[in-house]
Amino acid sequence: MNNHITSKPTPLSIRIEAFSHEILQAKHLSLDILRLDEIHPIISGNKLFKLKYYLEDALQKKCHTIQTFGGFYSNHIVATAYAAKLCQLKSIGIIRGAKPDHLTPTLQEAEAHGMTLRFVSAIDYQTLKRNQGFFDNVYSIPEGGYGLLGAKGAAEILSFTNKSYDYIVCAVGTGTMVAGIINSSADHQQIIGISALKGAYSLEAEISTLLKSDKKNFQINHDYHFGGFAKHPRELLSFMNKTWKDNMLPTDIVYTAKTLYAILDLAHKKNFKNGSQILMIHSGGLQGNHSIQNRLNFYGVTR
Ligand SMILES: *Cc1c(COP(=O)(O)O)cnc(C)c1O
């Protein structure tokens, strides 16, 4: 079986890059960015980590098809389509909503990687999600890769860093990535998850379900959603363009721009101890900028 995603990886080289900003300097803070966005153009960022153990499990159980769940703009759908193709597995995407006349670029890409799309109503989507399991050789991966196997994969993200960081900050969607990071963190490290969703206060409980029982060194911040999931007011886009101009760092509208903004704002508001070392996980997602590429000054420049 050809499984170059799940077999022992060829050593990935992942860059850690220093980010400078006057707000950080004023508080004697250092900020490094773990550039997971550079791993792969399609299964970028955290998605590869989150999918790894599900795929391994599917191959072990001799399934021939992977099924997963998502919306019209889901990075997880595209990543799963591509990863399944690499593992020579068929893939099915259960998509929430009626089939649109024109598929979004995300869904077009998933189809191009061989995924069969099934459009279902919001109600059917919830039912299918609840009854997912493993049947007829179809292996179901939960929406967004949420689950213990997803968190187990995400726990490997920190193996590319050292333990010197006082704070580790990352974006939160389903909370799977942050759960993995908390599980693999040292107790002296404080993990801060920045929610990309508005008022998703069930996240704390959903994350706790994935944690080793003794882990308490984290907080989820709900203040930087910029209006809600995938909302991108002009203020956020200017911040992204400025970050590219000043630091040559590309960010995405859904997750990482909000996370970086949050770090600088929290630094400004004295939420980090003076002199601390901070690590931000750049979890990828840049292909999600496709829909607003004409309003960004860096789209397409980076790769
Ligand atoms: C999917 C995604 C996330 C969210 O990860 P969760 O594990 O669902 O919390 C964060 N950042 C980017 C860029 C993503 O694509």
Side-chain angles (χ1 to χ4, degrees):
M1 178 77 60
N2 174 355
N3 59 347
H4 26 278
I5 284 208
T6 59
S7 61
K8 269 281 168 234
T10 41
L12 283 172
S13 71
I14 299 181
R15 280 202 305 149
I16 294 182
E17 191 176 64
F19 184 94
S20 62
H21 194 283
E22 59 201 15
I23 291 179
L24 301 167
Q25 268 158 19
K27 313 275 187 232
H28 305 288
L29 298 168
S30 78
L31 173 61
D32 282 352
I33 313 240
L34 182 70
R35 298 290 306 271
L36 298 187
D37 58 304
E38 295 180 332
I39 299 177
H40 191 279
I42 298 160
I43 336 180
S44 115
N46 66 12
K47 297 297 180 278
L48 174 61
F49 289 91
K50 291 200 290 178
L51 285 171
K52 175 179 167 186
Y53 287 104
Y54 289 114
L55 292 166
E56 199 170 275
D57 196 29
L59 291 168
Q60 233 155 45
K61 295 190 162 118
K62 307 245 179 297
C63 298
H64 51 63
T65 304
I66 294 281
Q67 162 182 298
T68 196
F69 303 81
F72 290 179
Y73 299 93
S74 166
N75 294 336
H76 166 74
I77 286 284
V78 177
T80 305
Y82 188 82
K85 182 170 83 172
L86 286 188
C87 295
Q88 299 184 340
L89 295 164
K90 293 203 184 80
S91 66
I92 300 171
I94 311 280
I95 310 298
R96 183 183 48 234
K99 182 170 185 183
D101 290 338
H102 297 285
L103 291 186
T104 57
T106 303
L107 295 182
Q108 282 177 29
E109 196 174 339
E111 248 186 3
H113 296 308
M115 183 175 260
T116 304
L117 302 178
R118 276 183 59 199
F119 293 87
V120 300
S121 71
I123 293 170
D124 289 348
Y125 184 86
Q126 293 307 330
T127 314
L128 285 166
K129 234 173 68 170
R130 230 174 294 125
N131 300 337
Q132 64 183 293
F134 163 52
F135 55 90
D136 292 343
N137 283 325
V138 175
Y139 188 94
S140 227
I141 298 178
E143 183 183 53
Y146 174 82
L148 289 172
L149 289 181
K152 182 180 172 191
E156 294 177 5
I157 290 172
L158 286 194
S159 67
F160 297 94
T161 75
N162 62 48
K163 300 280 183 207
S164 67
Y165 296 102
D166 304 296
Y167 299 92
I168 300 172
V169 189
C170 70
V172 172
T174 64
T176 311
M177 167 172 62
V178 76
I181 287 173
I182 296 164
N183 280 336
S184 55
S185 67
D187 289 341
H188 71 83
Q189 300 182 304
Q190 184 68 21
I191 316 303
I192 303 175
I194 307 296
S195 173
L197 298 96
K198 184 174 176 177
Y201 299 114
S202 58
L203 272 172
E204 275 85 346
E206 284 150 14
I207 290 166
S208 293
T209 311
L210 304 179
L211 294 184
K212 294 184 194 159
S213 57
D214 58 331
K215 285 297 189 183
K216 304 271 186 289
N217 55 331
F218 73 99
Q219 63 196 77
I220 304 304
N221 183 305
H222 296 274
D223 298 337
Y224 297 95
H225 53 74
F226 280 82
F229 189 70
K231 293 278 192 302
H232 46 275
R234 190 177 307 146
E235 185 193 3
L236 187 69
L237 299 187
S238 329
F239 174 71
M240 292 167 72
N241 281 329
K242 184 162 172 15
T243 299
W244 173 256
K245 189 163 142 273
D246 295 349
N247 303 79
M248 295 266 289
L249 182 74
T251 50
D252 82 290
I253 46 170
V254 182
Y255 293 106
T256 53
K258 295 178 183 182
T259 301
L260 180 62
Y261 186 99
I263 292 172
L264 297 176
D265 198 50
L266 290 170
H268 181 64
K269 293 175 176 160
K270 301 193 170 66
N271 278 266
F272 300 107
K273 262 195 280 59
N274 260 9
S276 300
Q277 287 182 274
I278 307 168
L279 177 73
M280 169 176 153
I281 312 295
H282 192 318
S283 43
L286 298 176
Q287 75 278 10
N289 288 344
H290 196 276
S291 58
I292 49 141
Q293 52 187 291
N294 55 357
R295 297 170 66 192
L296 294 176
N297 60 16
F298 59 86
Y299 188 81
V301 182
T302 58
R303 272 191 275 273

